Amino acid sequence: MNDSSQDPTMTDAFLWERCTRFTFGGPEYTEEVHVEPRDAERTQWAVCCLKRCLNVDGGWEWEPSPSNRDDDFIARTRFDRMTAIAMAMEITR
């Protein structure tokens, strides 16, 4: 078994760029909240819980299948990575 702490490629930046899902939870929040990319370039991230997405107003919306997501839904429920992480952290405090 390799000791990854000795691997020079295992930097925070390396892991940050390759991470494809962040999971949050908290004492008052019983379900896990996930921050996940929703495009191949990983520029649009969603805050998800139980097949729902957090929208810009802080409400939850059911996430339709990809072919049924219209532009309005995407505009309401997609964020850059740091905004999505901040939102997930805020709701799971």
Side-chain angles (χ1 to χ4, degrees):
M1 181 158 73
N2 290 339
D3 180 2
S4 62
S5 66
Q6 301 302 316
D7 184 346
T9 63
M10 289 296 251
T11 64
D12 288 345
F14 173 88
L15 295 172
W16 182 253
E17 287 305 314
R18 285 156 183 80
C19 187
T20 58
R21 184 180 204 188
F22 300 87
T23 302
F24 298 87
E28 301 293 321
Y29 215 85
T30 58
E31 301 297 334
E32 289 184 337
V33 174
H34 305 282
V35 174
E36 305 171 340
R38 287 296 191 258
D39 64 338
E41 296 80 24
R42 297 189 308 154
T43 59
Q44 296 182 347
W45 293 71
V47 181
C48 306
C49 183
L50 301 174
K51 298 185 181 184
R52 298 170 298 152
C53 289
L54 196 64
N55 65 33
V56 295
D57 297 322
W60 292 101
E61 297 189 36
W62 183 260
E63 185 172 36
S65 63
S67 61
N68 290 313
R69 296 174 193 160
D70 62 24
D71 291 341
D72 290 335
F73 174 81
I74 291 170
R76 288 190 311 275
T77 62
R78 300 299 183 260
F79 311 95
D80 64 80
R81 178 174 50 193
M82 290 307 296
T83 299
I85 288 171
M87 293 172 79
M89 290 176 66
E90 180 65 28
I91 63 172
T92 58
R93 280 188 184 197

